[in-house]
């Protein structure tokens, strides 16, 4: 039986995530775009709700990398997989990193 | 003639450096170690003065990547090539990023 518990992926304790893992997640422009769009949305966003230049299966891969790096939490609402930024938990372990990356990414989008 | 000007490598205007370039520089553990050691030294350090697990020629490559990403400034004192963290200039364009990475890297070194 496909219960909700089966469908919700595992999420790491962010204290077990290394800076190496976080930087490897954030160095990819598509993954950084997901984080920036989530941050700018000020709300959780379903997987299909992002503006991304990649296929659905590639996007799924990027969401998984972000989830394993502790940056996003995924859960289901009906058949939609939702994504939430784990901002507070993340800021506790890597203070300021998320804000800096999102701010710099938004600046680079604006100014080229 | 090998003047000082010939020997000092070009340094980019940090406003022309992209976040992508900075993250690509910082995602490498050896390069992050160089930045962290420079920050912790509170002084400029010659290329031979770092504790690095790579050959001299590989280290030279890493110094070049950091220089091109606007993270370090290189200059000569006699025959020694010195390295300085461009902290203030860098913080103006990517506020907080350097501190966060150095702090997180030091924490990860301490706690595994």
């Amino acid at each position: 039986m496909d219960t909700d518990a089966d469908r919700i992926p595992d999420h790491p304790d962010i204290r077990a995530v290394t800076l190496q893992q976080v930087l490897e997640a954030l160095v990819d422009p598509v993954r950084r775009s997901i984080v920036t769009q989530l941050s700018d949305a000020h709300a959780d966003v379903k997987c299909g709700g992002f503006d991304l230049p990649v296929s659905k299966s590639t996007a799924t891969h990027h969401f998984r990398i972000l989830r394993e790096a502790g940056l996003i939490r995924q859960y289901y609402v009906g058949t939609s997989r939702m994504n939430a930024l784990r901002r507070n938990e993340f800021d506790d372990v890597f203070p300021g990193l998320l804000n800096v990356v999102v701010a710099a990414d938004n600046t680079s989008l604006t100014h080229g």
Side-chain angles (χ1 to χ4, degrees), chain A residues 9-26 31 34-35 38 61-74 83-94 97-98:
Chain A
D10 282 340
H11 294 90
D13 183 333
I14 297 180
R15 290 167 299 180
V17 172
T18 63
L19 177 65
Q20 184 63 37
Q21 200 176 350
V22 170
L23 291 176
E24 285 173 6
L26 291 173
R31 291 196 287 270
I34 291 171
V35 168
L38 257 184
H61 160 76
H62 288 310
F63 286 118
R64 180 174 61 77
I65 300 286
L66 288 171
R67 192 180 72 233
E68 291 174 352
L71 282 155
I72 63 171
R73 183 175 296 282
Q74 296 190 297
N83 300 276
L85 208 52
R86 297 177 68 180
R87 184 187 290 279
N88 291 343
E89 298 168 273
F90 194 85
D91 286 349
D92 281 346
V93 181
F94 301 102
L97 181 53
L98 201 50

